Amino acid sequence: MIKSLQNIKRNISNIPGWRTNRRILVIESDDWGSVRIKDKRTYSLLKEAGLNVDAIHYDSYESLESDQDLEMLFNLLLSLKDFKGNSLVFTAMCNMGNPDCDRIKDSDYKQYFFQPLEETIKEYEYSSNILKLWNKGYDLNIFVPEIHGREHINIRRYMKILKSHPLKKGLRYALDHHSVGPSAFKGTFYPNYLGALHPEEKSEIEELHDQILNAGVLFKRYLGYHPRVFIAPNAEEPKELESSLKKIGVSYLTRSKKRTYPLGDGVFANEWNFIGRRNELNQIILNRNAFFEPVSFGSKELEKDWILSCLNEIELAFRWRKPAVISSHRVNYVGSINPSNREKGLFALRNLIERALKKWPDLEFMSSYQLGEMIRESKHKE
């Protein structure tokens, strides 16, 4: 009964919005450029200190992407072609930096400092070329960077937690080891501090505007073009930030179909989104309607056949003449902490796409930006 209701809801959610007879497949992948656990040694230290780094896949497997991670992903993407000869493409939602751990520590955890990505990568010998590789991926149209925000941290919430810790335990201990992300310490869960653009108070919103503008400057410096597509990191952003996103070049917003967004001071509003909807600033909404997270673990995830589930979601999108927009996070394709994690993710991705190509020989691979431009052009002709 529950599964039948879920299927009905999924079908209904795919009905509204822009349609096409073409079988378009887009993959959006979040979190590139952000730091989680620094390395394998640090993972062991954090676990011994009581941080729950073994509880979820993000904290168990995810570090800053390495050159090798990107090279292996690129080789896979180049090997998979649609019927037009286009390679599979990732729309990579990228962060432009991370907390400056040493400077925050030197302030006795009282002041926040931001570290641009060009500085972060100096700490990672195995990631020294990732900005060059991002640009190479863009040139090959297989790894197209777009904007995920400045850092993957809600600054106010993160600093509150750091200030509340006695001695150098919990998140202070993680920060001292240049790591971000653990969700609990000795069984006590933290408030969500990874939703970088999700304010608790209205007074915070002005700071978030500044963060977006700064992220846009860094994006242009690193990649040579302005970002075109945006999705908020981890939690929904206020509607006011659309104007700042517009200023840095963003024309396409990936949004939840039912979006609950903060107004500040504990007040929220709802918004229904469908693919092709325009907001007041002429930005076009995109929706994700398929999910592929093959390395995730937990009781439910272990039982899930991610390939079959994703294929079913793609089929549902095509049934209603919608493009299939797949969410698949970076964690599935990195292996600095555990190389077998990367092998599992890449193997599963190849399996998924090969089965999809066999089932739909007329499949077309696109980036989110290409899809957005196609929608915009079709609306001009209406």
Side-chain angles (χ1 to χ4, degrees), residues 100-108 111 113-114:
D100 191 323
C101 300
D102 288 337
R103 294 181 73 191
I104 295 171
K105 179 182 176 182
D106 290 344
S107 77
D108 195 27
Q111 190 173 354
F113 295 92
F114 170 73

Side-chain angles (χ1 to χ4, degrees), residues 37-304:
I37 307 305
K38 185 172 183 182
D39 52 32
K40 189 173 183 179
R41 174 180 171 274
T42 301
Y43 167 83
S44 298
L45 290 173
L46 299 190
K47 184 178 178 182
E48 290 170 8
L51 288 149
N52 70 331
V53 291
D54 58 344
I56 60 173
H57 53 290
Y58 290 106
D59 292 345
S60 294
Y61 302 143
E62 193 169 26
S63 181
L64 181 67
E65 65 266 24
S66 69
D67 298 346
Q68 185 179 17
D69 292 333
L70 288 168
E71 288 161 356
M72 291 179 71
L73 175 61
F74 288 8
N75 287 337
L76 176 58
L77 298 176
L78 287 167
S79 72
L80 295 164
K81 308 283 188 182
D82 65 16
F83 81 105
K84 292 183 174 180
N86 299 312
S87 297
L88 184 64
V89 53
F90 266 36
T91 298
M93 300 299 187
C94 298
N95 292 103
M96 296 297 102
N98 295 280
D100 191 323
C101 300
D102 288 337
R103 294 181 73 191
I104 295 171
K105 179 182 176 182
D106 290 344
S107 77
D108 195 27
Y109 313 98
K110 294 176 181 176
Q111 190 173 354
Y112 181 82
F113 295 92
F114 170 73
Q115 183 183 69
L117 185 56
E118 62 198 291
E119 297 298 321
T120 299
I121 61 178
K122 292 177 181 177
E123 301 177 18
Y124 293 80
E125 182 180 353
Y126 52 80
S127 301
S128 59
N129 292 311
I130 62 173
L131 287 174
K132 291 179 181 177
L133 287 164
W134 284 11
N135 280 276
K136 179 181 178 180
Y138 175 79
D139 290 340
L140 293 171
N141 197 42
I142 56 171
F143 185 91
V144 178
E146 297 293 354
I147 197 76
H148 198 35
R150 194 179 72 170
E151 63 269 82
H152 211 305
I153 289 290
N154 182 289
I155 294 171
R156 287 199 188 185
R157 210 164 295 155
Y158 185 54
M159 294 306 297
K160 280 182 187 178
I161 297 170
L162 289 176
K163 290 173 185 177
S164 70
H165 274 228
L167 304 175
K168 293 186 178 181
K169 296 181 178 179
L171 284 194
R172 285 194 181 188
Y173 188 82
L175 179 136
D176 290 355
H177 290 83
H178 291 216
S179 298
V180 172
S183 55
F185 175 60
K186 293 187 175 180
T188 300
F189 283 84
Y190 298 119
N192 176 14
Y193 60 91
L194 295 177
L197 300 172
H198 189 80
E200 290 183 318
E201 303 170 4
K202 280 189 177 181
S203 61
E204 195 176 342
I205 294 176
E206 195 59 40
E207 300 168 18
L208 302 183
H209 280 293
D210 292 340
Q211 287 178 33
I212 288 173
L213 296 176
N214 187 213
V217 170
L218 290 169
F219 190 100
K220 180 65 163 60
R221 183 199 304 172
Y222 295 152
L223 291 150
Y225 62 95
H226 295 288
R228 294 82 49 96
V229 186
F230 167 81
I231 186 170
N234 196 263
E236 301 282 0
E237 81 284 3
K239 196 170 183 63
E240 293 98 315
L241 298 187
E242 292 173 354
S243 61
S244 295
L245 291 165
K246 182 80 171 181
K247 285 180 182 178
I248 66 170
V250 171
S251 298
Y252 305 101
L253 303 167
T254 297
R255 290 272 170 81
S256 303
K257 292 176 182 177
K258 181 184 178 182
R259 184 170 106 92
T260 300
Y261 62 92
L263 302 175
D265 299 333
V267 181
F268 295 85
N270 290 319
E271 175 183 87
W272 289 96
N273 288 300
F274 52 84
I275 188 168
R277 185 180 76 79
R278 294 175 189 259
N279 68 7
E280 295 83 354
L281 299 174
N282 202 30
Q283 293 163 310
I284 288 178
I285 305 300
L286 306 177
N287 298 142
R288 295 176 177 180
N289 52 13
F291 302 88
F292 188 64
E293 309 289 350
V295 307
S296 61
F297 62 79
S299 58
K300 292 182 179 179
E301 284 79 3
L302 283 172
E303 298 169 2
K304 187 168 184 175

Side-chain angles (χ1 to χ4, degrees), residues 19-44:
R19 297 189 179 195
T20 178
N21 290 321
R22 294 162 66 176
R23 301 190 194 278
I24 297 167
L25 186 141
V26 171
I27 298 178
E28 292 190 346
S29 185
D30 297 350
D31 302 339
W32 299 89
S34 60
V35 166
R36 295 284 290 208
I37 307 305
K38 185 172 183 182
D39 52 32
K40 189 173 183 179
R41 174 180 171 274
T42 301
Y43 167 83
S44 298

Side-chain angles (χ1 to χ4, degrees), residues 358-372:
K358 186 175 182 179
K359 187 166 187 176
W360 299 287
D362 58 345
L363 208 59
E364 294 183 59
F365 301 145
M366 286 188 186
S367 68
S368 299
Y369 175 66
Q370 289 173 308
L371 173 61

